[in-house]
Amino acid sequence: MIALFRYTAAVMLHSQRYIPPLLLFAAVAVVFTGSSESVPVAAIYGPVSGVLFVSSVWLTVTLVNAEDPVRRVIAVVHAGRSRSVLVATMLVALATSMLVSGLILFLPLVMGDHSITLDDILGGVLAQLTCASTGVAIGMPVSRLVIRRTGHSLITALGLISIFSFSQGLPPINRLIRLLANTPEAPSLLPRTAECAAVALSLLVASVCVTAFIADRRD
């Protein structure tokens, strides 16, 4: 798995297609973290996590589609099964999203005089894990492994992003963003944020299984 992870990461870095989604996230994150010092840190993490969700979908689709189909077949043969290659892709997309978003956790300290506690940081990590996991979970089944036509893939991705973002109270994304916006006290926020993270990780596991099943049948 380590070799597959390194190979997938090398494919992503070589393609440089990861740059646009990460630039989108970084630009929006800088704008929101530079907001008024009177704004609670949780309220800053809310929109930043929402943008991370969109960027993670984009990054995952880009990563899956960047690999040449012939090289993917070779990787599957060496790995012994396609699910291992898919898991490596998922781990690279999730790790990249979390690595970049992790740097944003401390921007409120750098760009203002916001007071950040350990509970704020834990809440931010859980929020970003939730949005990154859900983004990767959506990105995998809308990639060309499942949906071959780019137009159909784009429409499906936008539809799913809209449903998860704007359906009132729908876990994990809409519920999480509402919690961050309306619950400024970090200690009371942590348990419910952890619940959203658990839902997101469950979605991610289900997404990998479904994507692997469909991809195997098509191959």
Side-chain angles (χ1 to χ4, degrees), residues 57-119:
V57 176
W58 187 358
L59 175 66
T60 304
V61 175
T62 297
L63 177 58
V64 174
N65 293 351
E67 187 177 16
D68 180 77
V70 176
R71 291 185 177 181
R72 183 178 185 278
V73 171
I74 295 174
V76 169
V77 171
H78 281 283
R81 56 179 183 172
S82 61
R83 182 167 298 183
S84 298
V85 177
L86 198 61
V87 169
T89 302
M90 176 269 290
L91 291 175
V92 170
L94 185 61
T96 303
S97 297
M98 290 300 297
L99 177 62
V100 175
S101 64
L103 301 176
I104 307 300
L105 285 174
F106 301 97
L107 271 184
L109 282 176
V110 177
M111 302 186 64
D113 294 327
H114 297 279
S115 177
I116 299 182
T117 65
L118 178 60
D119 287 336

Side-chain angles (χ1 to χ4, degrees), residues 129-143:
L129 176 62
T130 299
C131 291
S133 299
T134 309
V136 176
I138 291 177
M140 302 197 81
V142 301
S143 68

Side-chain angles (χ1 to χ4, degrees), residues 32-47 108 113-116 120 180-181 184:
F32 279 105
T33 51
S35 59
S36 172
E37 296 172 7
S38 62
V39 177
V41 174
I44 296 175
Y45 288 154
D113 294 327
H114 297 279
S115 177
I116 299 182
D120 288 323
L180 293 173

Side-chain angles (χ1 to χ4, degrees), residues 162-180:
S162 299
I163 291 171
F164 276 90
S165 299
F166 303 118
S167 297
Q168 187 170 356
L170 181 67
I173 302 301
N174 184 272
R175 180 178 296 178
L176 172 70
I177 293 176
R178 287 177 176 272
L179 285 173
L180 293 173

